[in-house]
Every structure is written in structure tokens, then in C-alpha cells.
């Protein structure tokens, strides 16, 4: 397997285990607004999208949300995330392997920079990415459009075809495909069918990534 010239990570659910926390809060909020929701269904419906898109979808499905709902839910989610999130197992070791191989890496997320400051900041991951953190809120382009990933490639002067994306949502995998990038689809809890359907190569442990990108297998 040829080594890539750049590895781009999604943030939530890939670098940090924030999806579960966020969707518990989201489910409780929507239920409180008269739109019954479980965290599991919220994950199935909304992972990979934007909060504004979540609100639009919920309204289309019959939810009656206040005009300031986006601000409300961000406030609730950020408060929950500040209480603590875990780093996905194997990520520190994977970043160490990339550093040793001289392969740069970046973050491309539909989440806000404020959210990544909370999640990546408290886990110590943020300094490892330096300025290579790309937010849909800042760039005004969100997955499934390829702009975030193309911006990351341009930042490093890398041909998109020489970049690898690590994603956990079909939305993100679609963005990678549209950017002309190979996508590794992280699916630790299911068979990854939705990721595979849009061209992602499925794996279930970050310790497997070095072997998938030509760096040899990492020890767990």
C-alpha cells in the first residue's frame, strides 16, 4: 500500500468520542420540545450533518422548535462536552506513527471551531494539529461538499489523490469521494454498510490504520 502524503481526520467520533455525548443531549432536547427521540435514533438520523441541518430535518419531520433553537442546542451540547470526552482508542499512537513517518495530518469537521476547542483542547490533541484544523463554520462549506477536505490538501500543497480521509459518517465519506480522496470508514459498532455504500474502506480499530496506509501494523 502506497503511503499517503496527507491524512485528514474527521473530528467527532473519529478523534474524540463526542458523538455519543452530543446525541444524548440532542435526543433529550428534541424530546423536551415534543419530538420524541432516543440517542440511538438521533445517531442514525443525524451523525455527519450540521446542527442547522439537524434542526431543518427535525422540523420537516414535525418538530416544533423555537427560532433560537440552534443557539440553544449548541449551549447544551457544549456544556455536556466540557464535562469531558474520551480520545478514540489508538488515535495518540496513530498520530505518533504519522509523525515518525513524516506524514502531515489535519482535521476537517462540520463542527465549529468553538466545539473543537472544547473537545480537542481538553484532550491535548489540538496542539498536535497546529493550524491544520478546518471547520465548516469558518470556511462556509460543509460535508458532503468536498471543500473542507480540498482546503486541507491545499494547505499542505498535496494532490487530493495522495490524501487519505478517516471518517465515520456517510456524509463525510461522500465528501472524500467528491474530493477524489481515498476514505477509510471507521465503523466500530456496526458493519459500516452506509460508509461502504459511498466508497469507504471499512475498519473497526484505529490500531489498524498504519497497516492500511503502508506503515505496518501498530501494536494495541
Amino acid at each position: 500500500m502506497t503511503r499517503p502524503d496527507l491524512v485528514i481526520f474527521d473530528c467527532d467520533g473519529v478523534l474524540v468520542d463526542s458523538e455519543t455525548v452530543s446525541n444524548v443531549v440532542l435526543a433529550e432536547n428534541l424530546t423536551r420540545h415534543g419530538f420524541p427521540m432516543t440517542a440511538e435514533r438521533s445517531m442514525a438520523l443525524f451523525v455527519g450533518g450540521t446542527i442547522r441541518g439537524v434542526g431543518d430535518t427535525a422540523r420537516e419531520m414535525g418538530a416544533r422548535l423555537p427560532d433560537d433553537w440552534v443557539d440553544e442546542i449548541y449551549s447544551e451540547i457544549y456544556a455536556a462536552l466540557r464535562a469531558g470526552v474520551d480520545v478514540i482508542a489508538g488515535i495518540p499512537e496513530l498520530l505518533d506513527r504519522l509523525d515518525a513517518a513524516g506524514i502531515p495530518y489535519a482535521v476537517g469537521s462540520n463542527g465549529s471551531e468553538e466545539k473543537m476547542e472544547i473537545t480537542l483542547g481538553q484532550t491535548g490533541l489540538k496542539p498536535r494539529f497546529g493550524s491544520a484544523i478546518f471547520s465548516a463554520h469558518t470556511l462556509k462549506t460543509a460535508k458532503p461538499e468536498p471543500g473542507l477536505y480540498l482546503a486541507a490538501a491545499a494547505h499542505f500543497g498535496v494532490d487530493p489523490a495522495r490524501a487519505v480521509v478517516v471518517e465515520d459518517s456517510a456524509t463525510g465519506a461522500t465528501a472524500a469521494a467528491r474530493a477524489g480522496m481515498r476514505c477509510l470508514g471507521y465503523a466500530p459498532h456496526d458493519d459500516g454498510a452506509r460508509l461502504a455504500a459511498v466508497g469507504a474502506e471499512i475498519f473497526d480499530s484505529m490500531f489498524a490504520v498504519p497497516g492500511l496506509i503502508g506503515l505496518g501494523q501498530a501494536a494495541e
Side-chain angles (χ1 to χ4, degrees):
M1 182 64 64
T2 303
R3 296 185 182 192
D5 293 337
L6 172 67
V7 177
I8 311 172
F9 295 90
D10 177 42
C11 183
D12 299 303
V14 170
L15 294 174
V16 289
D17 190 15
S18 49
E19 294 283 22
T20 301
V21 174
S22 297
N23 280 278
V24 166
V25 173
L26 184 56
E28 291 175 349
N29 177 282
L30 292 174
T31 299
R32 191 170 70 244
H33 282 299
F35 187 60
M37 181 64 60
T38 64
E40 292 76 16
R41 188 173 182 225
S42 178
M43 292 277 285
L45 287 172
F46 304 129
V47 165
T50 63
I51 286 294
R52 193 168 299 279
V54 169
D56 291 342
T57 299
R59 288 186 176 98
E60 290 170 2
M61 296 174 69
R64 295 186 177 181
L65 304 179
D67 291 341
D68 64 349
W69 181 80
V70 169
D71 292 334
E72 173 186 297
I73 193 61
Y74 269 134
S75 177
E76 294 178 12
I77 288 173
Y78 290 173
L81 292 174
R82 287 189 182 97
V85 294
D86 294 325
V87 176
I88 296 294
I91 282 294
E93 294 84 352
L94 174 53
L95 298 184
D96 289 344
R97 293 293 295 276
L98 293 174
D99 285 336
I103 298 173
Y105 44 85
V107 182
S109 174
N110 274 353
S112 68
E113 289 188 348
E114 181 180 359
K115 183 180 181 182
M116 287 188 278
E117 180 65 42
I118 296 168
T119 58
L120 300 181
Q122 69 177 271
T123 57
L125 291 178
K126 188 172 184 288
R128 302 197 67 164
F129 288 90
S131 61
I133 296 177
F134 301 89
S135 164
H137 290 227
T138 302
L139 295 183
K140 308 302 181 186
T141 181
K143 308 169 198 176
E145 296 307 314
L148 282 173
Y149 289 148
L150 292 175
H155 177 81
F156 287 101
V158 169
D159 180 346
R162 297 285 305 156
V164 168
V165 170
V166 183
E167 265 289 354
D168 70 333
S169 75
T171 302
T174 299
R178 291 178 177 177
M181 299 177 179
R182 180 186 178 201
C183 183
L184 303 181
Y186 181 52
H189 306 301
D190 59 33
D191 63 3
R194 285 182 292 180
L195 286 158
V198 288
E201 301 168 40
I202 307 306
F203 72 103
D204 62 7
S205 169
M206 290 298 169
F207 290 100
V209 174
L212 295 174
I213 60 174
L215 298 183
Q217 197 63 35
E220 295 192 34

